[in-house]
Amino acid sequence: MNHLTALLLGFCIDLLLGDPRWLYHPVQAIGWLIVKLEPPLRRAFPDSDRGQVRAGVALVILVVGITGLVSGGVLWGLHRLHPMAGFAGEVILCWLILAAKSLRTESMKVVKALETGTLDDGRRAVSMIVGRDTEHLSEAEVLKAAVETVAENASDGILAPLLFAAVLGPVGGICYKAVNTMDSMVGYKNDRYLYFGRAAAKLDDVLNFLPARISGVLMAAAACLGFDGKNAFRIFFRDRKNHASPNSAHTEAACAGALGLQLGGTHDYFGKPVVKPAIGDDLRAVTRGDVAAANRLALTTALLALLIFDVLPLAAFGRLFGW
């Protein structure tokens, strides 16, 4: 009951405040830890493909272990101090692992840059939220990149941590964020991270397997509330595997169908083209309003997930125990 209540309050605070700029964010601390551990781990293992894979495994164990021990220890200490202090700590941790408002804020900066500046300004803004090369993107490609980021991060940044926190508590949620942060920092198939980042990338795929599929179904269902729900389900079932990642295309497919857009396709990463299949049908040209529409769809999906995995279980526990 405490975990679910803390998650509900943390979700509401995130919607109101987003990521606090005045508070040192735990994901920043996780990123700092990854940066500090990488050089000594690379030196500690042989400079071979197998050695660097082992170094990456050690990174995953250390980062997840330290994250879990520190966050769990802090919450344990707060609960020992006073139950309300422990509960407040859980609320804050749930708030910090969710990213509903910050996802909208950062993606809408792309639209604002295009409206008040130049195409280069839009390219720079979208480069802050995507991994692809953005120097030569057209305005349509910039906007599609922003829509894709909203769709994908609706799962990675909102629904997956929500699900882990609902099932495993706030510590489970922050440990998921640790794996997701490692994947975003070292999970690249380039010369530097092909082997060192493999363990983080594979573990992220495993942890996101169910959340990605749940998110895709929920997003298609959410599309029935003001979007093209029928097309969202059609494209979801048709194109949800159109990605090198086993998880990324599920919400992208639902979003593409809901908005009547075609996403995906070939893009450059670190100066090299990466061929990706298209997701959705090219029914119309993308517009600046589609970024806001994708955010509305992501928020509706998140609220639907909160209802199913938090509010309804809370109500059921309340009836069961007479609360």
Side-chain angles (χ1 to χ4, degrees):
M1 288 289 291
N2 283 345
H3 290 334
L4 292 174
T5 305
L7 178 58
L8 177 60
L9 292 176
F11 185 95
C12 294
I13 294 172
D14 176 62
L15 285 185
L16 290 173
L17 302 180
D19 285 340
R21 301 298 181 185
W22 45 268
L23 185 66
Y24 194 67
H25 203 287
V27 173
Q28 290 178 297
I30 294 168
W32 175 87
L33 181 62
I34 294 167
V35 170
K36 293 298 181 182
L37 286 175
E38 180 180 344
L41 286 175
R42 285 186 181 272
R43 292 193 297 268
F45 289 84
D47 188 17
S48 63
D49 296 349
R50 181 174 294 182
Q52 290 307 294
V53 169
R54 291 174 178 173
V57 171
L59 177 74
V60 169
I61 293 171
L62 286 171
V63 171
V64 175
I66 292 171
T67 299
L69 286 173
V70 171
S71 59
V74 169
L75 290 180
W76 178 82
L78 289 173
H79 276 289
R80 288 293 299 264
L81 183 65
H82 193 279
M84 287 306 298
F87 177 71
E90 291 195 28
V91 172
I92 292 171
L93 191 54
C94 288
W95 164 29
L96 295 177
I97 64 175
L98 300 171
K101 185 171 183 178
S102 63
L103 178 59
R104 176 180 175 80
T105 299
E106 296 304 315
S107 59
M108 290 305 295
K109 286 180 181 179
V110 177
V111 178
K112 186 176 181 180
L114 291 171
E115 290 176 343
T116 61
T118 66
L119 177 56
D120 283 336
D121 293 325
R123 290 166 174 163
R124 281 190 290 271
V126 83
S127 71
M128 304 301 294
I129 58 174
V130 300
R132 71 191 59 168
D133 300 342
T134 62
E135 294 86 353
H136 305 295
L137 296 182
S138 65
E139 178 171 332
E141 290 171 329
V142 167
L143 292 171
K144 283 188 177 184
V147 170
E148 288 174 17
T149 296
V150 172
E152 183 176 352
N153 282 280
S155 178
D156 292 354
I158 309 174
L159 273 79
L162 188 155
L163 292 173
F164 274 94
V167 176
L168 300 176
V171 176
I174 192 63
C175 286
Y176 164 80
K177 292 294 289 186
V179 175
N180 193 242
T181 303
M182 277 189 288
D183 180 59
S184 68
M185 292 180 66
V186 305
Y188 294 103
K189 293 182 179 179
N190 56 21
D191 293 340
R192 180 176 180 180
Y193 290 120
L194 180 61
Y195 298 102
F196 183 78
R198 182 171 295 176
K202 294 297 184 184
L203 181 57
D204 186 72
D205 286 343
V206 171
L207 293 184
N208 277 296
F209 186 85
L210 282 178
R213 285 148 182 81
I214 292 171
S215 299
V217 171
L218 290 180
M219 184 168 282
C224 297
L225 304 173
F227 299 91
D228 191 342
K230 181 178 180 180
N231 198 48
F233 274 107
R234 183 178 70 85
I235 299 299
F236 168 72
F237 286 113
R238 192 191 74 184
D239 293 348
R240 61 194 177 91
K241 296 182 180 179
N242 285 5
H243 202 286
S245 165
N247 302 318
S248 294
H250 293 268
T251 46
E252 287 187 34
C255 183
L259 301 183
L261 297 175
Q262 186 173 82
L263 305 175
T266 300
H267 297 288
D268 290 342
Y269 290 82
F270 304 103
K272 298 180 179 179
V274 176
V275 179
K276 298 180 182 179
I279 298 172
D281 296 326
D282 192 12
L283 301 179
R284 62 179 181 85
V286 64
T287 68
R288 295 173 181 177
D290 286 320
V291 180
N295 276 288
R296 290 196 302 273
L297 179 61
L299 178 58
T300 305
T301 306
L303 291 171
L304 186 58
L306 184 72
L307 174 66
I308 295 171
F309 297 104
D310 189 279
V311 175
L312 292 180
L314 264 177
F317 280 124
R319 287 180 62 85
L320 181 63
F321 296 105
W323 296 340

